[in-house]
PDB file of all heavy atoms in Angstrom:
ATOM      1  N   THR M 229      -5.172   5.366  -5.910  1.00  0.00           N
ATOM      2  CA  THR M 229      -5.664   6.453  -5.048  1.00  0.00           C
ATOM      3  C   THR M 229      -6.624   5.883  -3.988  1.00  0.00           C
ATOM      4  O   THR M 229      -6.832   6.513  -2.939  1.00  0.00           O
ATOM      5  CB  THR M 229      -6.386   7.525  -5.856  1.00  0.00           C
ATOM      6  OG1 THR M 229      -7.364   6.899  -6.694  1.00  0.00           O
ATOM      7  CG2 THR M 229      -5.431   8.334  -6.683  1.00  0.00           C
ATOM      8  N   THR M 230      -7.210   4.685  -4.224  1.00  0.00           N
ATOM      9  CA  THR M 230      -8.097   4.072  -3.229  1.00  0.00           C
ATOM     10  C   THR M 230      -7.307   3.672  -1.962  1.00  0.00           C
ATOM     11  O   THR M 230      -7.947   3.310  -0.989  1.00  0.00           O
ATOM     12  CB  THR M 230      -8.836   2.889  -3.816  1.00  0.00           C
ATOM     13  OG1 THR M 230      -7.880   1.904  -4.263  1.00  0.00           O
ATOM     14  CG2 THR M 230      -9.742   3.285  -4.952  1.00  0.00           C
ATOM     15  N   ALA M 231      -5.997   3.775  -2.001  1.00  0.00           N
ATOM     16  CA  ALA M 231      -5.228   3.534  -0.803  1.00  0.00           C
ATOM     17  C   ALA M 231      -5.439   4.677   0.212  1.00  0.00           C
ATOM     18  O   ALA M 231      -5.138   4.508   1.404  1.00  0.00           O
ATOM     19  CB  ALA M 231      -3.752   3.381  -1.095  1.00  0.00           C
ATOM     20  N   PHE M 232      -5.907   5.820  -0.291  1.00  0.00           N
ATOM     21  CA  PHE M 232      -5.962   7.031   0.536  1.00  0.00           C
ATOM     22  C   PHE M 232      -7.369   7.559   0.795  1.00  0.00           C
ATOM     23  O   PHE M 232      -7.579   8.317   1.717  1.00  0.00           O
ATOM     24  CB  PHE M 232      -5.123   8.133  -0.109  1.00  0.00           C
ATOM     25  CG  PHE M 232      -3.696   7.715  -0.341  1.00  0.00           C
ATOM     26  CD1 PHE M 232      -3.282   7.263  -1.575  1.00  0.00           C
ATOM     27  CD2 PHE M 232      -2.779   7.747   0.684  1.00  0.00           C
ATOM     28  CE1 PHE M 232      -1.979   6.846  -1.770  1.00  0.00           C
ATOM     29  CE2 PHE M 232      -1.481   7.340   0.503  1.00  0.00           C
ATOM     30  CZ  PHE M 232      -1.065   6.888  -0.718  1.00  0.00           C
ATOM     31  N   PHE M 233      -8.316   7.203  -0.079  1.00  0.00           N
ATOM     32  CA  PHE M 233      -9.687   7.585   0.211  1.00  0.00           C
ATOM     33  C   PHE M 233     -10.595   6.434  -0.173  1.00  0.00           C
ATOM     34  O   PHE M 233     -10.255   5.604  -1.031  1.00  0.00           O
ATOM     35  CB  PHE M 233     -10.095   8.868  -0.514  1.00  0.00           C
ATOM     36  CG  PHE M 233     -10.176   8.731  -1.996  1.00  0.00           C
ATOM     37  CD1 PHE M 233     -11.375   8.449  -2.612  1.00  0.00           C
ATOM     38  CD2 PHE M 233      -9.081   8.928  -2.820  1.00  0.00           C
ATOM     39  CE1 PHE M 233     -11.511   8.311  -3.998  1.00  0.00           C
ATOM     40  CE2 PHE M 233      -9.156   8.817  -4.188  1.00  0.00           C
ATOM     41  CZ  PHE M 233     -10.374   8.510  -4.773  1.00  0.00           C
ATOM     42  N   SER M 234     -11.749   6.372   0.448  1.00  0.00           N
ATOM     43  CA  SER M 234     -12.594   5.195   0.296  1.00  0.00           C
ATOM     44  C   SER M 234     -13.571   5.327  -0.866  1.00  0.00           C
ATOM     45  O   SER M 234     -14.006   6.455  -1.218  1.00  0.00           O
ATOM     46  CB  SER M 234     -13.414   4.975   1.592  1.00  0.00           C
ATOM     47  OG  SER M 234     -14.215   6.133   1.834  1.00  0.00           O
ATOM     48  N   LEU M 235     -13.834   4.228  -1.474  1.00  0.00           N
ATOM     49  CA  LEU M 235     -14.890   4.132  -2.515  1.00  0.00           C
ATOM     50  C   LEU M 235     -15.862   3.015  -2.084  1.00  0.00           C
ATOM     51  O   LEU M 235     -15.443   1.918  -1.787  1.00  0.00           O
ATOM     52  CB  LEU M 235     -14.293   3.805  -3.848  1.00  0.00           C
ATOM     53  CG  LEU M 235     -13.562   4.946  -4.588  1.00  0.00           C
ATOM     54  CD1 LEU M 235     -12.970   4.425  -5.878  1.00  0.00           C
ATOM     55  CD2 LEU M 235     -14.491   6.104  -4.872  1.00  0.00           C
ATOM     56  N   GLU M 236     -17.128   3.360  -2.048  1.00  0.00           N
ATOM     57  CA  GLU M 236     -18.107   2.367  -1.632  1.00  0.00           C
ATOM     58  C   GLU M 236     -18.058   1.129  -2.536  1.00  0.00           C
ATOM     59  O   GLU M 236     -17.816   1.258  -3.752  1.00  0.00           O
ATOM     60  CB  GLU M 236     -19.519   2.973  -1.717  1.00  0.00           C
ATOM     61  CG  GLU M 236     -19.768   4.077  -0.672  1.00  0.00           C
ATOM     62  CD  GLU M 236     -21.153   4.629  -0.821  1.00  0.00           C
ATOM     63  OE1 GLU M 236     -21.858   4.292  -1.780  1.00  0.00           O
ATOM     64  OE2 GLU M 236     -21.568   5.428   0.082  1.00  0.00           O
ATOM     65  N   ARG M 237     -18.263  -0.013  -1.909  1.00  0.00           N
ATOM     66  CA  ARG M 237     -18.298  -1.300  -2.607  1.00  0.00           C
ATOM     67  C   ARG M 237     -16.943  -1.830  -3.073  1.00  0.00           C
ATOM     68  O   ARG M 237     -16.846  -2.781  -3.791  1.00  0.00           O
ATOM     69  CB  ARG M 237     -19.289  -1.308  -3.782  1.00  0.00           C
ATOM     70  CG  ARG M 237     -20.746  -0.946  -3.368  1.00  0.00           C
ATOM     71  CD  ARG M 237     -21.673  -0.985  -4.583  1.00  0.00           C
ATOM     72  NE  ARG M 237     -23.036  -0.720  -4.147  1.00  0.00           N
ATOM     73  CZ  ARG M 237     -23.565   0.473  -4.023  1.00  0.00           C
ATOM     74  NH1 ARG M 237     -22.774   1.547  -4.235  1.00  0.00           N
ATOM     75  NH2 ARG M 237     -24.806   0.651  -3.636  1.00  0.00           N
ATOM     76  N   LEU M 238     -15.861  -1.136  -2.657  1.00  0.00           N
ATOM     77  CA  LEU M 238     -14.525  -1.565  -3.031  1.00  0.00           C
ATOM     78  C   LEU M 238     -13.638  -1.759  -1.811  1.00  0.00           C
ATOM     79  O   LEU M 238     -12.456  -1.419  -1.809  1.00  0.00           O
ATOM     80  CB  LEU M 238     -13.877  -0.561  -4.012  1.00  0.00           C
ATOM     81  CG  LEU M 238     -14.425  -0.516  -5.433  1.00  0.00           C
ATOM     82  CD1 LEU M 238     -13.751   0.617  -6.223  1.00  0.00           C
ATOM     83  CD2 LEU M 238     -14.228  -1.848  -6.121  1.00  0.00           C
ATOM     84  N   THR M 239     -14.193  -2.353  -0.774  1.00  0.00           N
ATOM     85  CA  THR M 239     -13.451  -2.473   0.491  1.00  0.00           C
ATOM     86  C   THR M 239     -12.223  -3.353   0.295  1.00  0.00           C
ATOM     87  O   THR M 239     -11.150  -2.982   0.782  1.00  0.00           O
ATOM     88  CB  THR M 239     -14.338  -3.074   1.579  1.00  0.00           C
ATOM     89  OG1 THR M 239     -14.970  -4.272   1.108  1.00  0.00           O
ATOM     90  CG2 THR M 239     -15.382  -2.086   2.012  1.00  0.00           C
ATOM     91  N   ALA M 240     -12.341  -4.485  -0.338  1.00  0.00           N
ATOM     92  CA  ALA M 240     -11.225  -5.390  -0.512  1.00  0.00           C
ATOM     93  C   ALA M 240     -10.133  -4.755  -1.367  1.00  0.00           C
ATOM     94  O   ALA M 240      -8.958  -4.775  -1.020  1.00  0.00           O
ATOM     95  CB  ALA M 240     -11.649  -6.730  -1.091  1.00  0.00           C
ATOM     96  N   TYR M 241     -10.537  -4.175  -2.483  1.00  0.00           N
ATOM     97  CA  TYR M 241      -9.568  -3.569  -3.376  1.00  0.00           C
ATOM     98  C   TYR M 241      -8.828  -2.443  -2.668  1.00  0.00           C
ATOM     99  O   TYR M 241      -7.593  -2.353  -2.722  1.00  0.00           O
ATOM    100  CB  TYR M 241     -10.317  -3.011  -4.616  1.00  0.00           C
ATOM    101  CG  TYR M 241      -9.408  -2.393  -5.643  1.00  0.00           C
ATOM    102  CD1 TYR M 241      -8.684  -3.206  -6.505  1.00  0.00           C
ATOM    103  CD2 TYR M 241      -9.327  -1.024  -5.808  1.00  0.00           C
ATOM    104  CE1 TYR M 241      -7.842  -2.659  -7.464  1.00  0.00           C
ATOM    105  CE2 TYR M 241      -8.491  -0.462  -6.756  1.00  0.00           C
ATOM    106  CZ  TYR M 241      -7.744  -1.258  -7.580  1.00  0.00           C
ATOM    107  OH  TYR M 241      -6.937  -0.710  -8.522  1.00  0.00           O
ATOM    108  N   GLY M 242      -9.572  -1.559  -1.999  1.00  0.00           N
ATOM    109  CA  GLY M 242      -8.929  -0.427  -1.310  1.00  0.00           C
ATOM    110  C   GLY M 242      -7.981  -0.904  -0.201  1.00  0.00           C
ATOM    111  O   GLY M 242      -6.873  -0.328  -0.034  1.00  0.00           O
ATOM    112  N   ALA M 243      -8.396  -1.935   0.508  1.00  0.00           N
ATOM    113  CA  ALA M 243      -7.566  -2.454   1.594  1.00  0.00           C
ATOM    114  C   ALA M 243      -6.260  -3.028   1.034  1.00  0.00           C
ATOM    115  O   ALA M 243      -5.157  -2.822   1.622  1.00  0.00           O
ATOM    116  CB  ALA M 243      -8.314  -3.531   2.391  1.00  0.00           C
ATOM    117  N   THR M 244      -6.322  -3.738  -0.085  1.00  0.00           N
ATOM    118  CA  THR M 244      -5.083  -4.244  -0.651  1.00  0.00           C
ATOM    119  C   THR M 244      -4.183  -3.162  -1.165  1.00  0.00           C
ATOM    120  O   THR M 244      -2.951  -3.244  -1.020  1.00  0.00           O
ATOM    121  CB  THR M 244      -5.396  -5.238  -1.830  1.00  0.00           C
ATOM    122  OG1 THR M 244      -6.041  -4.565  -2.891  1.00  0.00           O
ATOM    123  CG2 THR M 244      -6.222  -6.395  -1.368  1.00  0.00           C
ATOM    124  N   LYS M 245      -4.741  -2.118  -1.755  1.00  0.00           N
ATOM    125  CA  LYS M 245      -3.891  -1.046  -2.278  1.00  0.00           C
ATOM    126  C   LYS M 245      -3.234  -0.252  -1.164  1.00  0.00           C
ATOM    127  O   LYS M 245      -2.121   0.238  -1.296  1.00  0.00           O
ATOM    128  CB  LYS M 245      -4.728  -0.136  -3.210  1.00  0.00           C
ATOM    129  CG  LYS M 245      -5.185  -0.846  -4.474  1.00  0.00           C
ATOM    130  CD  LYS M 245      -4.040  -1.455  -5.288  1.00  0.00           C
ATOM    131  CE  LYS M 245      -4.482  -2.089  -6.577  1.00  0.00           C
ATOM    132  NZ  LYS M 245      -3.316  -2.631  -7.375  1.00  0.00           N
ATOM    133  N   ALA M 246      -3.946  -0.119  -0.056  1.00  0.00           N
ATOM    134  CA  ALA M 246      -3.324   0.495   1.133  1.00  0.00           C
ATOM    135  C   ALA M 246      -2.219  -0.378   1.658  1.00  0.00           C
ATOM    136  O   ALA M 246      -1.137   0.108   2.070  1.00  0.00           O
ATOM    137  CB  ALA M 246      -4.377   0.801   2.188  1.00  0.00           C
ATOM    138  N   GLY M 247      -2.449  -1.680   1.666  1.00  0.00           N
ATOM    139  CA  GLY M 247      -1.445  -2.624   2.108  1.00  0.00           C
ATOM    140  C   GLY M 247      -0.183  -2.554   1.265  1.00  0.00           C
ATOM    141  O   GLY M 247       0.935  -2.706   1.754  1.00  0.00           O
ATOM    142  N   ILE M 248      -0.373  -2.372  -0.041  1.00  0.00           N
ATOM    143  CA  ILE M 248       0.786  -2.261  -0.929  1.00  0.00           C
ATOM    144  C   ILE M 248       1.634  -1.057  -0.589  1.00  0.00           C
ATOM    145  O   ILE M 248       2.859  -1.109  -0.682  1.00  0.00           O
ATOM    146  CB  ILE M 248       0.291  -2.254  -2.423  1.00  0.00           C
ATOM    147  CG1 ILE M 248      -0.156  -3.664  -2.818  1.00  0.00           C
ATOM    148  CG2 ILE M 248       1.399  -1.736  -3.320  1.00  0.00           C
ATOM    149  CD1 ILE M 248      -0.839  -3.715  -4.161  1.00  0.00           C
ATOM    150  N   ILE M 249       1.027   0.048  -0.203  1.00  0.00           N
ATOM    151  CA  ILE M 249       1.754   1.232   0.185  1.00  0.00           C
ATOM    152  C   ILE M 249       2.656   0.886   1.415  1.00  0.00           C
ATOM    153  O   ILE M 249       3.858   1.212   1.407  1.00  0.00           O
ATOM    154  CB  ILE M 249       0.840   2.403   0.510  1.00  0.00           C
ATOM    155  CG1 ILE M 249       0.098   2.896  -0.693  1.00  0.00           C
ATOM    156  CG2 ILE M 249       1.602   3.541   1.195  1.00  0.00           C
ATOM    157  CD1 ILE M 249       1.000   3.551  -1.723  1.00  0.00           C
ATOM    158  N   HIS M 250       2.092   0.264   2.399  1.00  0.00           N
ATOM    159  CA  HIS M 250       2.874  -0.063   3.593  1.00  0.00           C
ATOM    160  C   HIS M 250       3.962  -1.080   3.240  1.00  0.00           C
ATOM    161  O   HIS M 250       5.130  -0.965   3.747  1.00  0.00           O
ATOM    162  CB  HIS M 250       1.994  -0.606   4.709  1.00  0.00           C
ATOM    163  CG  HIS M 250       2.698  -0.687   6.023  1.00  0.00           C
ATOM    164  ND1 HIS M 250       2.885   0.414   6.851  1.00  0.00           N
ATOM    165  CD2 HIS M 250       3.322  -1.734   6.641  1.00  0.00           C
ATOM    166  CE1 HIS M 250       3.547   0.050   7.926  1.00  0.00           C
ATOM    167  NE2 HIS M 250       3.845  -1.246   7.820  1.00  0.00           N
ATOM    168  N   PHE M 251       3.629  -2.067   2.434  1.00  0.00           N
ATOM    169  CA  PHE M 251       4.641  -3.044   2.008  1.00  0.00           C
ATOM    170  C   PHE M 251       5.799  -2.317   1.277  1.00  0.00           C
ATOM    171  O   PHE M 251       6.951  -2.613   1.531  1.00  0.00           O
ATOM    172  CB  PHE M 251       3.966  -4.051   1.061  1.00  0.00           C
ATOM    173  CG  PHE M 251       4.914  -5.102   0.492  1.00  0.00           C
ATOM    174  CD1 PHE M 251       5.329  -6.116   1.267  1.00  0.00           C
ATOM    175  CD2 PHE M 251       5.334  -4.976  -0.836  1.00  0.00           C
ATOM    176  CE1 PHE M 251       6.170  -7.099   0.722  1.00  0.00           C
ATOM    177  CE2 PHE M 251       6.208  -5.967  -1.358  1.00  0.00           C
ATOM    178  CZ  PHE M 251       6.635  -7.015  -0.568  1.00  0.00           C
ATOM    179  N   THR M 252       5.469  -1.412   0.421  1.00  0.00           N
ATOM    180  CA  THR M 252       6.445  -0.637  -0.315  1.00  0.00           C
ATOM    181  C   THR M 252       7.390   0.093   0.622  1.00  0.00           C
ATOM    182  O   THR M 252       8.630   0.049   0.462  1.00  0.00           O
ATOM    183  CB  THR M 252       5.779   0.376  -1.260  1.00  0.00           C
ATOM    184  OG1 THR M 252       5.008  -0.349  -2.236  1.00  0.00           O
ATOM    185  CG2 THR M 252       6.761   1.276  -1.968  1.00  0.00           C
ATOM    186  N   ARG M 253       6.831   0.786   1.609  1.00  0.00           N
ATOM    187  CA  ARG M 253       7.623   1.572   2.539  1.00  0.00           C
ATOM    188  C   ARG M 253       8.565   0.693   3.351  1.00  0.00           C
ATOM    189  O   ARG M 253       9.764   1.005   3.576  1.00  0.00           O
ATOM    190  CB  ARG M 253       6.708   2.346   3.459  1.00  0.00           C
ATOM    191  CG  ARG M 253       5.844   3.377   2.752  1.00  0.00           C
ATOM    192  CD  ARG M 253       4.887   4.043   3.673  1.00  0.00           C
ATOM    193  NE  ARG M 253       5.561   4.887   4.651  1.00  0.00           N
ATOM    194  CZ  ARG M 253       4.948   5.483   5.698  1.00  0.00           C
ATOM    195  NH1 ARG M 253       3.656   5.320   5.863  1.00  0.00           N
ATOM    196  NH2 ARG M 253       5.669   6.221   6.519  1.00  0.00           N
ATOM    197  N   THR M 254       8.043  -0.456   3.798  1.00  0.00           N
ATOM    198  CA  THR M 254       8.852  -1.323   4.648  1.00  0.00           C
ATOM    199  C   THR M 254      10.000  -1.956   3.862  1.00  0.00           C
ATOM    200  O   THR M 254      11.175  -1.976   4.329  1.00  0.00           O
ATOM    201  CB  THR M 254       7.973  -2.422   5.273  1.00  0.00           C
ATOM    202  OG1 THR M 254       6.917  -1.804   5.996  1.00  0.00           O
ATOM    203  CG2 THR M 254       8.763  -3.306   6.217  1.00  0.00           C
ATOM    204  N   VAL M 255       9.700  -2.501   2.688  1.00  0.00           N
ATOM    205  CA  VAL M 255      10.739  -3.152   1.880  1.00  0.00           C
ATOM    206  C   VAL M 255      11.799  -2.113   1.455  1.00  0.00           C
ATOM    207  O   VAL M 255      13.012  -2.404   1.419  1.00  0.00           O
ATOM    208  CB  VAL M 255      10.167  -3.865   0.677  1.00  0.00           C
ATOM    209  CG1 VAL M 255      11.250  -4.532  -0.135  1.00  0.00           C
ATOM    210  CG2 VAL M 255       9.154  -4.938   1.129  1.00  0.00           C
ATOM    211  N   ALA M 256      11.347  -0.902   1.158  1.00  0.00           N
ATOM    212  CA  ALA M 256      12.290   0.139   0.767  1.00  0.00           C
ATOM    213  C   ALA M 256      13.297   0.404   1.863  1.00  0.00           C
ATOM    214  O   ALA M 256      14.487   0.581   1.665  1.00  0.00           O
ATOM    215  CB  ALA M 256      11.548   1.430   0.441  1.00  0.00           C
ATOM    216  N   ARG M 257      12.800   0.456   3.136  1.00  0.00           N
ATOM    217  CA  ARG M 257      13.718   0.657   4.258  1.00  0.00           C
ATOM    218  C   ARG M 257      14.635  -0.509   4.458  1.00  0.00           C
ATOM    219  O   ARG M 257      15.842  -0.367   4.755  1.00  0.00           O
ATOM    220  CB  ARG M 257      12.895   0.958   5.531  1.00  0.00           C
ATOM    221  CG  ARG M 257      13.726   1.211   6.736  1.00  0.00           C
ATOM    222  CD  ARG M 257      12.901   1.776   7.879  1.00  0.00           C
ATOM    223  NE  ARG M 257      12.538   3.165   7.616  1.00  0.00           N
ATOM    224  CZ  ARG M 257      13.307   4.205   7.846  1.00  0.00           C
ATOM    225  NH1 ARG M 257      14.540   4.045   8.310  1.00  0.00           N
ATOM    226  NH2 ARG M 257      12.872   5.440   7.585  1.00  0.00           N
ATOM    227  N   GLU M 258      14.080  -1.761   4.292  1.00  0.00           N
ATOM    228  CA  GLU M 258      14.912  -2.942   4.475  1.00  0.00           C
ATOM    229  C   GLU M 258      16.025  -3.064   3.443  1.00  0.00           C
ATOM    230  O   GLU M 258      17.089  -3.599   3.757  1.00  0.00           O
ATOM    231  CB  GLU M 258      14.010  -4.194   4.413  1.00  0.00           C
ATOM    232  CG  GLU M 258      13.083  -4.338   5.611  1.00  0.00           C
ATOM    233  CD  GLU M 258      12.188  -5.579   5.533  1.00  0.00           C
ATOM    234  OE1 GLU M 258      12.191  -6.220   4.443  1.00  0.00           O
ATOM    235  OE2 GLU M 258      11.513  -5.831   6.520  1.00  0.00           O
ATOM    236  N   TRP M 259      15.749  -2.572   2.225  1.00  0.00           N
ATOM    237  CA  TRP M 259      16.718  -2.793   1.130  1.00  0.00           C
ATOM    238  C   TRP M 259      17.522  -1.570   0.755  1.00  0.00           C
ATOM    239  O   TRP M 259      18.397  -1.650  -0.093  1.00  0.00           O
ATOM    240  CB  TRP M 259      15.950  -3.289  -0.139  1.00  0.00           C
ATOM    241  CG  TRP M 259      15.507  -4.732   0.000  1.00  0.00           C
ATOM    242  CD1 TRP M 259      15.767  -5.592   1.013  1.00  0.00           C
ATOM    243  CD2 TRP M 259      14.719  -5.438  -0.955  1.00  0.00           C
ATOM    244  NE1 TRP M 259      15.187  -6.824   0.777  1.00  0.00           N
ATOM    245  CE2 TRP M 259      14.534  -6.766  -0.433  1.00  0.00           C
ATOM    246  CE3 TRP M 259      14.141  -5.124  -2.181  1.00  0.00           C
ATOM    247  CZ2 TRP M 259      13.827  -7.732  -1.112  1.00  0.00           C
ATOM    248  CZ3 TRP M 259      13.430  -6.095  -2.845  1.00  0.00           C
ATOM    249  CH2 TRP M 259      13.259  -7.367  -2.338  1.00  0.00           C
ATOM    250  N   ALA M 260      17.256  -0.443   1.373  1.00  0.00           N
ATOM    251  CA  ALA M 260      17.922   0.806   0.956  1.00  0.00           C
ATOM    252  C   ALA M 260      19.435   0.715   1.069  1.00  0.00           C
ATOM    253  O   ALA M 260      20.176   1.167   0.200  1.00  0.00           O
ATOM    254  CB  ALA M 260      17.400   1.986   1.778  1.00  0.00           C
ATOM    255  N   ASP M 261      19.897   0.114   2.169  1.00  0.00           N
ATOM    256  CA  ASP M 261      21.350   0.055   2.379  1.00  0.00           C
ATOM    257  C   ASP M 261      21.996  -1.000   1.488  1.00  0.00           C
ATOM    258  O   ASP M 261      23.250  -1.126   1.475  1.00  0.00           O
ATOM    259  CB  ASP M 261      21.679  -0.199   3.830  1.00  0.00           C
ATOM    260  CG  ASP M 261      21.175  -1.531   4.347  1.00  0.00           C
ATOM    261  OD1 ASP M 261      20.357  -2.158   3.682  1.00  0.00           O
ATOM    262  OD2 ASP M 261      21.633  -1.938   5.443  1.00  0.00           O
ATOM    263  N   ARG M 262      21.194  -1.754   0.738  1.00  0.00           N
ATOM    264  CA  ARG M 262      21.741  -2.748  -0.195  1.00  0.00           C
ATOM    265  C   ARG M 262      21.536  -2.317  -1.649  1.00  0.00           C
ATOM    266  O   ARG M 262      21.692  -3.147  -2.565  1.00  0.00           O
ATOM    267  CB  ARG M 262      21.128  -4.089   0.101  1.00  0.00           C
ATOM    268  CG  ARG M 262      21.698  -4.708   1.393  1.00  0.00           C
ATOM    269  CD  ARG M 262      21.146  -6.046   1.711  1.00  0.00           C
ATOM    270  NE  ARG M 262      19.819  -5.995   2.308  1.00  0.00           N
ATOM    271  CZ  ARG M 262      19.111  -7.074   2.618  1.00  0.00           C
ATOM    272  NH1 ARG M 262      19.581  -8.276   2.396  1.00  0.00           N
ATOM    273  NH2 ARG M 262      17.921  -6.932   3.170  1.00  0.00           N
TER     274      ARG M 262
END
């Protein structure tokens, strides 16, 4: 859930979890037709 709202002192963790969401969306689009 830190991908969507901020928690103080967890900037790196939250940034990585938000990045995982975008990674998920992109790879899903790249691989859907396969």
Side-chain angles (χ1 to χ4, degrees):
T229 51
T230 58
F232 303 98
F233 69 92
S234 59
L235 285 177
E236 293 179 351
R237 301 180 177 86
L238 287 176
T239 51
Y241 182 77
T244 62
K245 294 304 183 178
I248 286 171
I249 293 293
H250 191 80
F251 178 77
T252 297
R253 297 175 67 186
T254 303
V255 180
R257 181 168 288 278
E258 290 179 352
W259 287 355
D261 64 345
R262 288 181 279 177

